[in-house]
């Protein structure tokens, strides 16, 4: 009896299993961060599915189609994270120069010719795809990698004003000035992360003070002279003096508080949110309020704990990184992710004015998920350098 066909059929699943095993064997870096990404992705799927009913109705499509698109972005993000974590992090030093060269013109183009959504020009359309992305997401990666590179390379003459301080100050202030007019909250967070990197990079207190003064000058100009000055001022006034603000300005914050207050300790249960029908951007900016409403204080504590644990794992990576560039790179990206997360949650519970900042890897954000995933991948790439034996890298960036 001829058994060659049966033998061939028996080999196929083994080969497939072998391929998957080979992929999994190449998954390196901090295992806890991989687990964090999986947990946040699962939370995202549940929360987004529960909060997109109104969006689906206004678009005239089914909830499932929006959810499938979100799932596709999560899967694409994990693939990008896998690819970026396989690339030796030292290569990102060279890539940072290219990113800065590309980012500044893109930010300028977006500021004047970008797509206007919610009265702000933050998005740039990707031709032929129907997608758009916030150039500020690219700017975060560009500036943080560039600062990590220049700070690590200039350690021998870090006090040199002409060769060290001016390039550093110029890059921070230029990016802030280009992001701030359309996306002030993101600009401020990135500016804060930059200051933290300058402190870690041993920049003198006097020079850091100069950067802060320049930042305050730019911030004042944006608040009182920028195209969105009315929006910025009204949000700040509504936060500090809610009794004097219009009801429309308090609508989003009040319904977020209602969602959190009615959630109790264990919540109303998955899919039982009522405030999702009232909250604007319930699937993005206010998704934490929906999570607390459906999963209660317990669910909120779990989400907060995940981000705190992420920060803890990243700090361990920073302290063990053998190279200054790797330490600064992991620190900058981890600070950026966690500060953004806690800014989003602070707004949801009423501890800050409305900002429009998403919850990393949880909010439905399209291409922002991809940039966030790349940031996770770079952090994992740094952690690989700790776990694996050191290898010689062709064209490795010389570090102090």
């Amino acid at each position: 009896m001829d058994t060659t066909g049966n033998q061939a059929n028996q080999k196929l699943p083994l080969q497939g299993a072998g391929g998957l095993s080979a992929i999994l064997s190449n998954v390196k870096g901090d295992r806890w961060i991989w687990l964090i990404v999986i947990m946040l992705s699962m939370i995202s799927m549940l929360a987004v599915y529960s909060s997109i009913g109104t969006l689906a109705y206004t678009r005239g499509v089914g909830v499932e189609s929006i959810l499938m698109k979100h799932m596709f972005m999560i899967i694409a993000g994990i693939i990008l994270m896998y690819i970026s974590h396989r690339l030796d992090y030292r290569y990102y030093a060279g890539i940072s120069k290219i990113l800065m060269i590309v980012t500044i013109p893109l930010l300028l183009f977006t500021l004047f010719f970008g797509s206007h959504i919610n009265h702000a020009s933050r998005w740039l359309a990707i031709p032929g795809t129907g997608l758009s992305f916030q150039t500020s997401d690219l700017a975060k990666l560009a500036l943080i990698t560039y600062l990590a590179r220049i700070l690590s390379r200039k350690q021998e003459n870090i006090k040199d004003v002409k060769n060290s301080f001016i390039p550093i100050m110029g890059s921070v202030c230029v990016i802030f000035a280009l992001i701030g007019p359309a996306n002030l909250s993101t600009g401020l967070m990135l500016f804060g992360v930059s200051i933290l990197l300058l402190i870690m990079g041993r920049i003198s207190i006097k020079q850091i003070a100069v950067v802060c003064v320049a930042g305050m000058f730019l911030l004042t100009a944006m608040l009182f002279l920028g195209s969105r000055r009315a929006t910025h001022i009204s949000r700040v006034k509504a936060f500090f003096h809610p009794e004097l603000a219009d009801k429309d300005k308090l609508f989003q914050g009040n319904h977020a508080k209602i969602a959190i207050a009615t959630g109790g300790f264990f919540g109303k249960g998955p899919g039982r949110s009522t405030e999702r029908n009232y909250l604007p951007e319930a699937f993005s900016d206010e998704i934490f309020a929906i999570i607390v409403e459906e999963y209660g204080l317990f669910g909120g504590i779990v989400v907060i704990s995940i981000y705190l644990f992420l920060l803890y794992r990243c700090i361990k990576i920073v302290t063990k990184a053998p190279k200054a560039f790797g330490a600064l790179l992991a620190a900058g990206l981890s600070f950026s992710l966690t500060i953004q997360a806690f800014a989003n949650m602070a707004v949801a519970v009423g501890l800050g004015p409305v900002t429009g900042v998403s919850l990393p890897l949880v909010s439905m954000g399209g291409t922002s998920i991809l940039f966030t995933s790349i940031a996770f991948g770079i952090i994992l790439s740094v952690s690989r350098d700790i776990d694996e034996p050191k290898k010689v890298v062709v064209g490795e960036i010389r570090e102090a």
Side-chain angles (χ1 to χ4, degrees):
M1 183 175 62
D2 185 10
T3 60
T4 55
N6 293 333
Q7 290 174 354
N9 290 334
Q10 290 173 358
K11 289 180 181 179
L12 287 176
L14 293 176
Q15 291 172 353
L20 178 61
S21 176
I23 293 174
L24 292 177
S25 66
N26 287 323
V27 173
K28 305 296 182 180
D30 193 299
R31 294 292 193 269
W32 288 107
I33 293 182
W34 281 105
L35 179 60
I36 287 169
V37 169
I38 293 171
M39 293 176 66
L40 290 177
S41 299
M42 293 174 62
I43 292 171
S44 177
M45 291 297 298
L46 292 171
V48 167
Y49 181 65
S50 180
S51 58
I52 56 177
T54 302
L55 178 66
Y57 176 78
T58 56
R59 291 184 178 180
V61 298
V63 170
E64 290 76 13
S65 65
I66 299 178
L67 183 65
M68 289 302 294
K69 182 180 178 181
H70 179 61
M71 183 185 297
F72 171 79
M73 297 305 292
I74 289 178
I75 294 173
I78 291 175
I79 293 172
L80 284 176
M81 183 167 59
Y82 175 82
I83 294 171
S84 57
H85 108 287
R86 292 297 301 169
L87 182 63
D88 192 290
Y89 76 90
R90 284 172 281 249
Y91 283 114
Y92 291 108
I95 295 173
S96 68
K97 295 184 291 184
I98 301 173
L99 287 178
M100 286 295 288
I101 293 171
V102 172
T103 296
I104 292 176
L106 282 178
L107 288 173
L108 277 169
F109 185 85
T110 305
L111 191 60
F112 294 104
F113 306 106
S115 301
H116 286 263
I117 303 175
N118 295 333
H119 309 289
S121 180
R122 304 176 183 176
W123 288 264
L124 195 63
I126 304 175
T129 63
L131 298 174
S132 60
F133 75 100
Q134 291 193 53
T135 46
S136 59
D137 291 326
L138 176 61
K140 284 189 285 187
L141 281 175
L143 181 60
I144 289 171
T145 54
Y146 180 77
L147 284 179
R149 173 185 176 271
I150 197 169
L151 285 170
S152 61
R153 294 194 62 175
K154 300 291 185 180
Q155 283 300 301
E156 292 181 358
N157 57 345
I158 197 66
K159 309 299 182 182
D160 189 326
V161 174
K162 181 180 178 180
N163 296 319
S164 298
F165 176 65
I166 291 179
I168 292 170
M169 177 180 174
S171 61
V172 173
C173 291
V174 167
I175 296 296
F176 179 51
L178 293 176
I179 293 178
N183 198 348
L184 184 59
S185 54
T186 299
L188 285 172
M189 284 188 292
L190 185 55
F191 187 84
V193 171
S194 300
I195 295 300
L196 290 175
L197 281 180
L198 297 189
I199 294 172
M200 291 183 63
R202 297 172 53 244
I203 297 292
S204 69
I205 298 300
K206 290 182 179 180
Q207 292 177 343
I208 291 175
V210 172
V211 178
C212 290
V213 170
M216 289 299 297
F217 176 79
L218 292 172
L219 175 61
T220 304
M222 293 172 196
L223 285 175
F224 294 101
L225 301 176
S227 58
R228 302 194 71 216
R229 58 186 178 277
T231 302
H232 296 147
I233 293 173
S234 64
R235 286 179 175 179
V236 173
K237 285 184 177 180
F239 176 71
F240 287 105
H241 301 286
E243 70 282 357
L244 302 177
D246 296 335
K247 291 183 179 180
D248 292 341
K249 303 296 182 183
L250 301 174
F251 183 85
Q252 183 172 339
N254 287 341
H255 279 280
K257 293 175 184 176
I258 292 171
I260 292 171
T262 56
F265 188 80
F266 290 108
K268 298 177 179 178
R272 295 184 178 180
S273 168
T274 54
E275 293 304 312
R276 63 186 176 186
N277 299 318
Y278 303 98
L279 272 171
E281 307 294 328
F283 50 85
S284 179
D285 300 347
E286 299 294 344
I287 199 166
F288 183 71
I290 302 300
I291 292 172
V292 176
E293 183 183 10
E294 293 189 346
Y295 300 94
L297 180 62
F298 175 77
I301 292 174
V302 169
V303 173
I304 292 172
S305 300
I306 290 173
Y307 284 109
L308 285 174
F309 187 60
L310 169 65
L311 181 61
Y312 166 73
R313 295 305 305 178
C314 289
I315 290 174
K316 289 199 70 174
I317 293 171
V318 171
T319 57
K320 293 181 179 180
K323 298 286 187 178
F325 174 68
L328 291 168
L329 186 60
L333 293 174
S334 60
F335 288 153
S336 175
L337 292 170
T338 52
I339 289 174
Q340 179 179 333
F342 283 100
N344 174 278
M345 292 184 284
V347 170
V349 300
L351 294 179
V354 175
T355 59
V357 174
S358 60
L359 193 59
L361 275 192
V362 176
S363 296
M364 190 183 79
T367 51
S368 66
I369 293 176
L370 304 183
F371 286 105
T372 301
S373 299
I374 292 172
F376 271 103
I378 295 173
I379 294 172
L380 287 166
S381 178
V382 177
S383 70
R384 274 183 55 207
D385 195 52
I386 300 170
D387 300 333
E388 296 181 349
K390 305 298 178 292
K391 299 177 182 179
V392 177
V393 179
V394 178
E396 179 178 348
I397 300 298
R398 182 179 59 83
E399 299 181 57

